[in-house]
Amino acid sequence: MGQNLRIVIAKPGLDGHDRGAKVVARTLRDAGHEVIYTGLRRTAMQIVETVRDEDAKFLGLSSLSGAHNHLFPRVCQLLIEEGLTDVIVFGGGIIPEDDRSALHESGIRAIFGPGTPTNEILEFIDTASKMTDVGVGAENKWQWESTA
Amino acid sequence: MDLNLINEAVDGSRRSLARTLSLIENGEISIEQIRQVLNIEGNPSDSKSWNSLAITGAPGVGKSCLIDKLLSIWANSGLKIALLAIDPSSPRTGGALLGDRVRITSVDDEALKDKIYIRSIATRKSSGNVPLIVADMIEFLHIAKWDRVIVETVGSGQSEVRCAAIADRIVVIEGPARGDGVQAEKAGLLELADAVIVNKSDLSGAEKHAEELQESFELGLGDAPPVLLTSALNETGIAEAAHVLLNLADSGRSVRARWRERLLAHYERKILDAPDLDKILSSLAIGSISIDEAISILGGQ
Ligand code: B12
Ligand SMILES: Nc1nc2c(ncn2[C@@H]2O[C@H](COP(=O)(O)OP(=O)(O)OP(=O)(O)O)[C@@H](O)[C@H]2O)c(=O)[nH]1
Ligand SMILES: [Mg+2]
């Protein structure tokens, strides 16, 4: 696997389910990455400021409460406004199939639901980190086809 | 080197600051190079007030919670404060979970967020509770006009004094007494402390522990450092601690011990950065060279 990356794992909004985010954070750490966990109930702006100050290359958003349609695109939009266009955004949690294409449209490269094998998340990170134009502000429409 | 990036960082761009700090941390540029391109001579220290303050102490004593409250008071008084929060890297995988930020909510305050910068740092290859590269990151933060830099060390064992190598002042955070008095093993760290804070004063045993510490300092040589009581939970004693720490004088205690830590830290970095390190470790592992031989190979580089 490549070099260690700085990755922010964030919980936007009022959602209090943090097990999944912690599982993912642990997985990424065990794969050799430096993971910054934001804790619960962050606003979109706070998440973007954390990504900026921590100089993270990836941002993972977790939502199980149903607010993803609003919060995920908001985070993407703010990242672009702050000039953080090269940050690669991915997400997971309870995200119905029907909602996913709009999220991809807003710049999210991968979405992982319950039961995702953790290896797949690592494969995504590895693949995306080798691509040059998959940041949230890139024109490229590439997305990861996840199995869950 | 990207001079634009560095100039933007100095002119206040947080994004460029964060990126420059990464370049320093990754060894892609050195602080000497930055000084050179910006025409800065040496380390501008006026020695009276401190530039960097290390906050250290056992895991879970409340370092992050306390720092959160202190940041808010200092930022409110107009200072621009940076926090470098250190957590350990796994020696096996190199990965790290950097979680100190979770407790720092002062930066969420709209009125303060421009005055507080928080950066999480993994120890990576270095042993000890603060990697030496942090000293260079601190210096760059000062160049970029951050008034003071706080370093939260890894929750450290009692004899862990490596932070003495990088910070101007050291504050040791303690918890309530566990009924065994001031342990001898703590001596190393307490000897270097410019101040000691007993946190969790809302719990029983805190006051007693502060008294024990005070007594043991009075038995020792030289000036006793201030011993303060706080509760980050109930926010008691915080304003006083903020005032005392901000104006903390160099205790001048254990100057030699500090230089000892600096020397060890630099020497360790030399060894860890040696190009042949991997080869030497493999040779050691298969027993083809001895430790003494390894040291002389490394020392000769
Ligand atoms: C445990 C649980 C709780 C616990 C949470 C404990 C905690 N600290 O996390 C408690 C009891 C507190 C709780 C409360 C509530 N819950 Co609840 N809860 C669950 C439950 C049963 C399991 C969630 C879980 O922990 N799974 C285990 C983890 C490891 O899996 P995961 O989170 O899905 O994460 C995996 C993937 O999704 C993905 N992933 C997740 N995040 C991310 C992020 C990134 C970056 C990546 C790459 C991947 C990724 O990877 C993970 C590993 O595979 C789910 C039902 C379900 N089966 O999902 C309901 C569920 C999420 N809860 C639900 C609800 C409604 C609630 C409540 C509002 C009230 C209620 N009815 O119980 C409250 C609200 C709490 C709050 N403040 O937000 C609903 C949400 C409905 C919706 N979205 O439309 C669910 C789906 C149950 C249901 N079917 O109705 N809940
Ligand atoms: N009762 C009490 N609990 C406190 C106080 N300060 C912190 N805590 C609790 O102590 C626990 C650890 O606090 P942290 O601030 O994370 O401690 P830390 O020293 O930074 O821990 P590490 O970074 O893991 O070494 C948390 O559960 C806090 O809520 C206090 O003054 N009183
Ligand atoms: Mg901490």
Side-chain angles (χ1 to χ4, degrees):
Chain A
M1 187 90 54
Q3 88 282 39
N4 48 5
L5 299 161
R6 290 175 69 81
I7 304 175
V8 168
I9 297 295
K11 288 287 312 179
L14 300 175
D15 179 15
H17 297 90
D18 59 0
R19 277 197 217 154
K22 285 179 171 166
V23 167
V24 171
R26 194 101 37 37
T27 302
L28 295 170
R29 178 199 62 184
D30 290 344
H33 300 298
E34 293 181 357
V35 184
I36 297 119
Y37 177 55
T38 61
L40 288 169
R41 300 194 185 86
R42 312 274 78 197
T43 66
M45 195 60 199
Q46 286 164 358
I47 291 169
V48 169
E49 284 164 352
T50 299
V51 171
R52 177 197 64 197
D53 286 353
E54 296 284 1
D55 190 26
K57 179 150 176 61
F58 282 81
L59 167 62
L61 299 167
S62 173
S63 172
L64 283 81
S65 69
H68 51 269
N69 285 333
H70 167 65
L71 289 168
F72 286 14
R74 176 89 187 118
V75 170
C76 293
Q77 180 202 342
L78 286 173
L79 282 170
I80 293 168
E81 284 174 15
E82 289 290 308
L84 298 162
T85 49
D86 52 353
V87 173
I88 301 168
V89 187
F90 61 116
I94 307 285
I95 320 268
E97 203 53 55
D98 288 351
D99 294 347
R100 296 192 181 188
S101 69
L103 297 178
H104 286 305
E105 203 59 40
S106 70
I108 294 182
R109 299 296 172 176
I111 294 166
F112 301 98
T116 307
T118 48
N119 256 343
E120 187 181 325
I121 299 174
L122 298 178
E123 266 170 53
F124 159 73
I125 300 276
D126 201 34
T127 307
S129 68
K130 289 177 184 135
M131 299 175 74
T132 50
D133 56 347
V134 293
V136 64
E139 291 297 326
N140 190 335
K141 291 283 169 242
W142 177 79
Q143 68 183 63
W144 181 265
E145 296 300 337
S146 60
T147 59
Chain B
M1 171 164 41
D2 189 347
L3 188 53
N4 261 345
L5 184 78
I6 293 169
N7 278 324
E8 282 165 17
V10 173
D11 290 341
S13 157
R14 299 269 285 243
R15 174 170 168 267
S16 300
L17 174 71
R19 297 207 165 171
T20 307
L21 288 173
S22 298
L23 292 176
I24 296 173
E25 187 182 16
N26 297 336
E28 289 167 53
I29 51 173
S30 70
I31 195 72
E32 289 80 15
Q33 284 172 307
I34 292 176
R35 264 193 234 125
Q36 206 169 28
V37 295
L38 295 178
N39 256 318
I40 298 169
E41 284 180 16
N43 196 346
S45 83
D46 58 4
S47 73
K48 265 219 209 88
S49 65
W50 49 266
N51 285 335
S52 57
L53 177 81
I55 297 201
T56 189
V61 290
K63 296 181 290 298
S64 298
C65 291
L66 192 58
I67 288 170
D68 184 37
K69 303 287 185 273
L70 294 170
L71 287 180
S72 146
I73 291 179
W74 289 331
N76 254 312
S77 77
L79 288 168
K80 282 182 76 183
I81 312 255
L83 169 65
L84 303 178
I86 325 279
D87 276 308
S89 298
S90 152
R92 200 169 47 83
T93 67
L97 203 49
L98 308 169
D100 290 313
R101 252 200 122 88
V102 175
R103 308 234 180 254
I104 313 285
T105 55
S106 47
V107 71
D108 296 341
D109 184 336
E110 281 296 316
L112 299 184
K113 68 179 190 183
D114 291 338
K115 297 205 171 69
I116 300 176
Y117 175 79
I118 305 171
R119 173 75 174 224
S120 312
I121 297 173
T123 52
R124 299 199 176 168
K125 288 188 293 183
S126 77
S127 70
N129 58 5
V130 178
L132 192 56
I133 197 69
V134 168
D136 294 355
M137 297 169 84
I138 292 172
E139 188 177 338
F140 187 69
L141 281 160
H142 287 297
I143 292 172
K145 307 194 242 331
W146 288 81
D147 298 316
R148 309 281 180 122
V149 181
I150 311 301
V151 180
E152 178 181 344
T153 74
V154 169
S156 61
Q158 294 166 338
S159 59
E160 181 55 80
V161 291
R162 192 50 64 78
C163 56
I166 58 105
D168 298 334
R169 305 279 189 280
I170 297 172
V171 178
V172 177
I173 314 294
E174 291 271 304
R178 282 158 312 200
D180 46 3
V182 178
Q183 298 144 2
E185 319 87 87
K186 277 190 190 158
L189 187 52
L190 289 173
E191 214 170 86
L192 290 169
D194 295 299
V196 180
I197 293 182
V198 180
N199 188 41
K200 307 200 183 182
S201 64
D202 52 290
L203 302 179
S204 71
E207 231 158 296
K208 179 160 172 286
H209 190 47
E211 278 163 26
E212 287 167 354
L213 285 163
Q214 198 97 53
E215 273 166 29
S216 87
F217 281 130
E218 278 158 13
L219 293 174
L221 297 170
D223 292 338
V227 177
L228 304 163
L229 270 166
T230 60
S231 166
L233 188 71
N234 297 346
E235 304 199 26
T236 53
I238 308 286
E240 197 203 338
H243 178 78
V244 171
L245 296 190
L246 191 64
N247 299 297
L248 201 57
D250 186 351
S251 65
R253 301 164 73 228
S254 311
V255 179
R256 281 170 55 102
R258 284 182 190 219
W259 279 106
R260 177 175 174 277
E261 290 310 313
R262 279 186 200 145
L263 188 63
L264 288 172
H266 280 269
Y267 196 65
E268 178 189 286
R269 181 156 76 171
K270 266 221 164 79
I271 292 177
L272 291 174
D273 287 349
D276 288 345
L277 183 63
D278 269 341
K279 238 171 36 194
I280 292 168
L281 289 175
S282 308
S283 307
L284 281 168
I286 58 170
S288 69
I289 60 170
S290 70
I291 285 274
D292 277 340
E293 281 164 334
I295 290 174
S296 79
I297 300 169
L298 287 164
Q301 274 167 348

